[in-house]
Amino acid sequence: MNTPESQGSALKSECVNASSVLDNLTNIIDSAMKNQYFSMVYQPLFSMQNSKLIGFEALIRCHCPQFGNISPDKLIPHAEESGQIIELGEWIIQQVLLDLKRFLQYGLKDIVISINVSAVQIANTDIFNQIMTLVERLDIPTRCIKLELTETALIQNPKVIAKVFDAFQKEGVQIWVDDFGTGFASLSLLREFKVNGLKIDKSFVDGIATCNDDFTLCSAIVAMAQRLGMHIVAEGIEDEVQLQILNQLGCDTAQGYLLGRPATFEDNLKRWR
Ligand code: C2E
Ligand code: CA
Ligand code: CA
C-alpha cells in the first residue's frame, strides 16, 4: 500500500541507494568495465536548413544490475577524478568508431559522429594515435569524426590541448566546444584555440522563448560564431518555438528531444537507414 510511511521508506532507500552509488563509484566503474555494463547510445543532429540528418552525438550509458542506471553526469566526473576515464575513454573511442564504421557500411554515408572527450584523456593518453590508428585500421574518413570538449576542460591544460587539436585538425577531424557560454573562458578561448564550431548550452536554449536575456545571449553567440566562420549547434531543443527562433537566428544544426532522443545503434539504424 502506498502510505506516507511507505513513501517515506521508499524515499529513504532511494537516498541510501544514491549515496551508496556515490561511495562505490570507483568499484562500480571497475565492475561495469569488466562485466560490460557500459553501452553507447546515439542522439541525432539535424541541419536547420533542410532538416536532414547530419550525424549523431555518442553518449555513454551504464546499467548495473545492482544499482540500475547510473547517470553519465555522475559517472564521467568521477572517472576523470579517479583516472578511470583513461581506460573508459579508450573503450568509448573504440566502440564509437566501430559503430561509425557500421553506420557507414549500412549506407549512412555523410554522417558525422561526435565523441565527447575529457581533458584528462588528452593530457594523459596519446588520444591522437589511439584515434588515428583505428581510423586507418577501419578505413574511416576523418571528416566523419568530431571531438567535443567543454570550455572548462579546454582551459585545464591549454598548451597540450592546443597541440593535440592542431594535429587532429590537420588530419581533418573537427573540434567543437561543448556547453558554450557556461564556463569562465568563453571569449578568450576562441582566440587561443582554433575550433570548428560551438554548441550553445541547453541552459540558454531553455529560456530562449521566455527570457529576453537568454534570447539576447543566444543571438550574440550565433552572430559571433558566424563572423568567426564557425558552425553552431543548439542542443537541448525541446519545443517547436525554440527550434523556430534558433533557425531564424541562423543556427546551423539542431539537437534535442523534440527531434530525437539518444537511442541504440540498432534503433537509429532502423530509423535512419
Ligand atoms: P553533453 O555532452 O552536454 O550531452 C548532452 C546531454 O543532454 C546528454 O545527456 C543528452 O542526453 C541530453 N539531452 C539532449 N537533448 C536533450 C533535451 O532536449 N532535453 C534534455 N533534458 N536533455 C537533452 P547525458 O547523456 O545524460 O550526458 C550528460 C553528460 O555526460 C554529457 O553532456 C557529457 O558531458 C557527459 N558524457 C556523456 N557521454 C559521455 C562520453 O562518452 N564521454 C565523456 N567524456 N562524457 C560523456
Ligand atoms: Ca557533448
Ligand atoms: Ca553539451
Side-chain angles (χ1 to χ4, degrees):
M1 197 170 45
N2 205 5
T3 61
E5 283 88 342
S6 70
Q7 280 169 4
S9 72
L11 196 65
K12 210 165 151 192
S13 92
E14 230 172 68
C15 290
V16 170
N17 214 18
S19 72
S20 56
V21 166
L22 281 179
D23 291 343
N24 282 326
L25 263 177
T26 304
N27 293 336
I28 291 173
I29 294 171
D30 272 346
S31 133
M33 267 184 296
K34 261 190 224 116
N35 297 297
Q36 301 176 341
Y37 298 150
F38 287 117
S39 61
M40 297 308 294
V41 289
Y42 299 92
Q43 184 178 26
L45 277 80
F46 299 89
S47 156
M48 284 271 193
Q49 229 178 9
N50 57 21
S51 307
K52 274 198 182 147
L53 177 77
I54 285 182
F56 302 96
E57 176 172 5
L59 296 159
I60 196 162
R61 294 291 176 263
C62 178
H63 182 82
C64 286
Q66 193 184 353
F67 297 107
N69 293 329
I70 299 170
S71 156
D73 279 328
K74 290 202 181 81
L75 199 100
I76 296 291
H78 185 91
E80 287 175 341
E81 216 169 287
S82 66
Q84 289 165 301
I85 193 70
I86 291 175
E87 193 183 341
L88 183 57
E90 217 167 296
W91 177 83
I92 292 170
I93 287 168
Q94 188 168 354
Q95 189 58 48
V96 174
L97 293 183
L98 283 170
D99 285 342
L100 170 57
K101 177 72 189 177
R102 291 199 290 157
F103 275 130
L104 295 170
Q105 282 172 332
Y106 279 109
L108 277 77
K109 286 267 179 270
D110 296 318
I111 56 163
V112 179
I113 286 205
S114 311
I115 308 175
N116 290 288
V117 292
S118 134
V120 182
Q121 262 175 294
I122 299 185
N124 299 291
T125 68
D126 190 352
I127 191 173
F128 177 77
N129 265 326
Q130 245 176 57
I131 292 185
M132 294 312 295
T133 305
L134 278 168
V135 159
E136 268 166 42
R137 193 183 309 151
L138 296 169
D139 192 21
I140 293 172
T142 48
R143 65 180 149 76
C144 297
I145 305 170
K146 208 164 91 177
L147 304 181
E148 291 186 10
L149 195 72
T150 61
E151 53 178 277
T152 321
L154 271 176
I155 51 173
Q156 282 175 25
N157 219 328
K159 279 206 178 112
V160 180
I161 291 177
K163 227 170 123 187
V164 177
F165 278 6
D166 198 45
F168 272 123
Q169 284 172 322
K170 281 191 180 126
E171 294 293 338
V173 173
Q174 298 176 49
I175 306 286
W176 284 62
V177 179
D178 207 352
D179 304 342
F180 187 77
T182 59
F184 295 104
S186 305
L187 294 180
S188 61
L189 73 82
L190 294 184
R191 221 177 24 185
E192 248 171 273
F193 299 97
K194 272 184 273 142
V195 295
N196 303 94
L198 307 176
K199 292 187 88 169
I200 304 184
D201 190 61
K202 179 179 185 312
S203 58
F204 297 115
V205 173
D206 281 344
I208 199 167
T210 50
C211 167
N212 267 336
D213 288 351
D214 285 351
F215 174 81
T216 307
L217 284 168
C218 280
S219 42
I221 294 174
V222 176
M224 179 193 65
Q226 283 172 337
R227 295 284 283 271
L228 293 171
M230 292 173 184
H231 265 72
I232 192 130
V233 176
E235 65 181 359
I237 301 174
E238 291 184 349
D239 67 50
E240 287 288 351
V241 182
Q242 293 169 346
L243 181 66
Q244 249 177 34
I245 296 174
L246 287 156
N247 194 4
Q248 278 160 8
L249 288 180
C251 219
D252 304 291
T253 304
Q255 178 181 4
Y257 289 175
L258 175 71
L259 305 162
R261 288 184 179 245
T264 60
F265 170 86
E266 286 75 18
D267 285 348
N268 274 304
L269 197 62
K270 261 187 240 153
R271 176 130 194 233
W272 304 112
R273 200 176 157 186

